[in-house]
């Protein structure tokens, strides 16, 4: 092995990162080359000097600051999430949909018209409004219920103020 | 059994915030130390480390485990550090030569060196401080890319393949880069190296 080839191997040799076959090649060269042997020894010395540098500890607030930065990040939403509704709106939409479906299943109903032979129920317990006062007697009618009965011909008044 | 980095990152991608906290816990110290040695300023190193974690979090949706997590993490950190060093290079040139001599205390904070400071063994303390300062100074003098290569190789113990991906160069280029860096270091630290090599 040449000295120039040693350049790419020597640090890995010092670190113990070479394969066995490569390590043996390097050791063979070092045995015959004083310059490379000195270099290997000094690289090893540099390596242990670098070990002497003290480590520093991150400040106590470091984690808090990172978490605060992360918490301040805008939440990324998928494209479809913009279509999602709030629960209240979703509930209202569901109710509307149900109501529409219910109406749709009932279909149009024909109005019921009584035939000419429909029996008239006599003496039914109808609550007939018959005590309306005539429009002209509005001011008096409220005072005299009995009189208003006799004055209305068909028994059904047109007044907007029934006196029951 | 501890989950791997990749698994934690996939869990973060799935929306698990506690996995992000675990990654933060696992890598905050190596990252802050790496960045501190790159930019030589603790506050700036922490700011950059925070930015690294933020970028990791932002990229969670697109994360695909195609490489080792550490390769990706330190690639972000290295790019940020190199940009920061280049940005502040000219500011550093303006630092007054009259500025007081400072040392880095054990907790990493810079403080003015006070010789009269009470210490059980002031002489030994000063010798140790001087030694550490020399090593730091030697690393600081390396060109940025060499410095990054040494720090990743020595302190993060990443393999050549990973470091070459982080620095975006071939493995043989990386080996040359590291060789030149170690050559500079052994020259710069010659007095210490000679003592160490005995």
């Amino acid at each position: 092995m040449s000295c120039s080839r040693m350049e790419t191997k020597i640090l890995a040799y010092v670190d113990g990162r070479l394969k066995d076959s490569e390590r043996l090649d390097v050791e063979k060269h070092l045995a015959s080359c004083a310059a490379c042997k000195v270099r290997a020894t000094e690289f090893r010395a540099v390596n242990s000097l670098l070990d002497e540098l003290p480590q520093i500890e991150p400040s106590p607030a470091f984690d808090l600051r990172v978490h605060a930065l992360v918490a301040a990040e805008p939440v990324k939403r998928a494209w479809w999430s913009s279509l999602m509704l709030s629960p209240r709106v979703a509930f209202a939409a569901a109710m509307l949909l149900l109501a529409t479906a219910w109406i749709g299943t009932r279909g149009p109903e024909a109005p019921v018209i009584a035939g000419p032979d429909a029996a008239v129920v006599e003496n039914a317990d109808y609550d007939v409004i018959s005590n309306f006062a005539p429009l002209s007697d509005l001011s008096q009618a409220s005072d005299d219920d009995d009189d208003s009965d006799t004055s209305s011909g068909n028994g059904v008044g047109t007044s907007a103020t029934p006196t029951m | 059994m501890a989950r791997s980095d990749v698994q934690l990152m996939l869990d973060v991608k799935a929306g698990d915030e506690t996995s992000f906290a675990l990654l933060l816990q696992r890598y905050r110290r190596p990252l802050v130390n790496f960045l501190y040695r790159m930019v030589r300023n603790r506050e700036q190193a922490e700011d950059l480390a925070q930015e690294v974690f933020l970028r990791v979090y932002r990229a969670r949706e697109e994360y695909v485990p195609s490489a080792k997590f550490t390769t990706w993490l330190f690639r972000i950190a290295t790019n940020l550090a190199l940009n920061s060093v280049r940005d502040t290079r000219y500011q550093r040139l303006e630092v007054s030569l009259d500025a007081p001599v400072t040392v880095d205390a054990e907790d990493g904070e810079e403080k003015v060196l006070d010789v009269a400071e009470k210490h059980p063994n002031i002489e030994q303390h000063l010798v140790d401080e001087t030694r550490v300062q020399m090593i730091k100074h030697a690393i600081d003098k390396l060109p940025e890319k060499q410095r990054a290569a040494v720090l990743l190789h020595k302190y993060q113990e990443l393999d050549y393949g990973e470091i070459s991906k982080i620095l975006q160069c071939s493995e043989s280029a990386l080996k040359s880069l590291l060789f030149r860096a170690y050559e500079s270091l052994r020259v710069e630290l010659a007095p210490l190296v000679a003592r160490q090599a005995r």
Side-chain angles (χ1 to χ4, degrees):
Chain A
M1 186 184 287
S2 63
C3 290
S4 60
R5 184 111 194 278
M6 277 291 287
E7 287 188 7
T8 57
K9 303 278 182 193
I10 193 164
L11 191 57
Y13 169 73
V14 167
D15 286 336
R17 297 190 189 199
L18 286 182
K19 293 175 193 162
D20 283 352
S21 59
E22 290 175 312
R23 184 176 54 79
L24 289 172
D25 282 348
V26 168
E27 284 174 351
K28 202 172 165 185
H29 176 83
L30 293 179
S32 61
C33 178
C36 284
K37 192 172 181 182
V38 169
R39 183 175 281 141
T41 308
E42 294 190 349
F43 273 18
R44 197 169 278 124
V46 168
N47 239 355
S48 47
L49 284 171
L50 293 179
D51 283 332
E52 291 182 23
L53 277 192
Q55 294 258 317
I56 63 165
E57 283 298 327
S59 59
F62 181 80
D63 285 13
L64 286 176
R65 287 203 294 267
V66 174
H67 284 304
L69 283 171
V70 164
E73 280 291 291
V75 178
K76 280 187 182 175
R77 285 171 183 258
W79 65 269
W80 47 263
S81 65
S82 59
L83 301 176
M84 287 176 70
L85 303 170
S86 70
R88 196 173 293 176
V89 176
F91 178 76
M95 289 297 105
L96 187 67
L97 191 70
L98 276 174
T100 308
W102 181 68
I103 291 167
T105 52
R106 287 186 68 201
E109 281 184 11
V112 179
I113 301 168
D117 55 343
V120 176
V121 181
E122 295 281 342
N123 301 324
D125 190 19
Y126 293 126
D127 195 7
V128 178
I129 301 170
S130 57
N131 53 349
F132 285 92
L135 284 172
S136 54
D137 297 336
L138 271 179
S139 55
Q140 298 160 9
S142 59
D143 297 331
D144 191 354
D145 287 346
D146 293 335
D147 289 347
S148 64
D149 274 346
T150 52
S151 61
S152 57
N154 57 5
V156 178
T158 54
S159 171
T161 55
T163 53
M164 303 289 285
Chain B
M1 189 177 156
R3 280 178 289 169
S4 69
D5 297 339
V6 167
Q7 187 54 56
L8 285 174
M9 194 59 214
L10 288 172
D11 291 345
V12 174
K13 183 179 182 176
D16 181 15
E17 300 286 328
T18 55
S19 295
F20 182 76
L22 286 172
L23 283 171
L24 175 63
Q25 202 178 3
R26 203 174 276 185
Y27 285 105
R28 61 187 181 148
R29 196 166 185 254
L31 261 186
V32 168
N33 274 281
F34 169 72
L35 290 164
Y36 175 59
R37 283 168 186 160
M38 281 298 291
V39 300
R40 300 164 246 181
N41 178 292
R42 187 193 176 114
E43 199 178 323
Q44 200 183 352
E46 290 207 356
D47 287 347
L48 290 174
Q50 285 164 25
E51 181 64 25
V52 173
F53 282 114
L54 187 60
R55 289 189 184 199
V56 165
Y57 185 79
R58 279 180 185 157
R60 68 195 183 284
E61 305 273 357
E62 291 82 33
Y63 177 72
V64 178
S66 56
K68 283 180 82 170
F69 178 76
T70 45
T71 308
W72 181 49
L73 187 74
F74 279 97
R75 188 166 174 173
I76 299 171
T78 304
N79 287 339
L80 283 172
L82 291 175
N83 286 339
S84 175
V85 168
R86 283 162 196 160
D87 288 348
T88 54
R89 182 181 293 153
Y90 297 105
Q91 290 172 20
R92 284 178 180 277
L93 292 175
E94 292 167 9
V95 172
S96 168
L97 291 173
D98 297 328
V101 178
T102 61
V103 295
D104 284 356
E106 282 169 11
D107 61 358
E109 293 289 356
E110 283 201 337
K111 63 176 184 180
V112 176
L113 182 61
D114 180 7
V115 181
E117 189 180 12
K118 285 180 184 174
H119 195 276
N121 189 345
I122 187 77
E123 275 182 39
Q124 187 56 47
H125 176 71
L126 284 175
V127 168
D128 292 346
E129 284 293 355
T130 308
R131 195 179 164 91
V132 166
Q133 282 306 110
M134 278 183 76
I135 298 167
K136 278 188 175 176
H137 183 66
I139 294 175
D140 288 352
K141 277 185 78 174
L142 293 173
E144 295 100 53
K145 207 164 178 182
Q146 285 186 26
R147 188 155 76 235
V150 169
L151 296 177
L152 292 168
H153 171 265
K154 177 64 193 165
Y155 298 107
Q156 307 311 322
E157 296 183 339
L158 303 180
D159 60 40
Y160 292 125
E162 273 189 279
I163 303 172
S164 60
K165 279 179 192 159
I166 290 169
L167 297 178
Q168 298 169 63
C169 62
S170 67
E171 265 192 58
S172 60
L174 171 69
K175 284 174 182 172
S176 295
L177 199 69
L178 280 168
F179 178 80
R180 293 201 302 277
Y182 270 70
E183 278 289 272
S184 302
L185 288 172
R186 81 172 177 136
V187 170
E188 195 67 33
L189 298 170
L192 299 180
V193 166
R195 227 174 296 161
Q196 195 89 11
R198 265 183 225 155

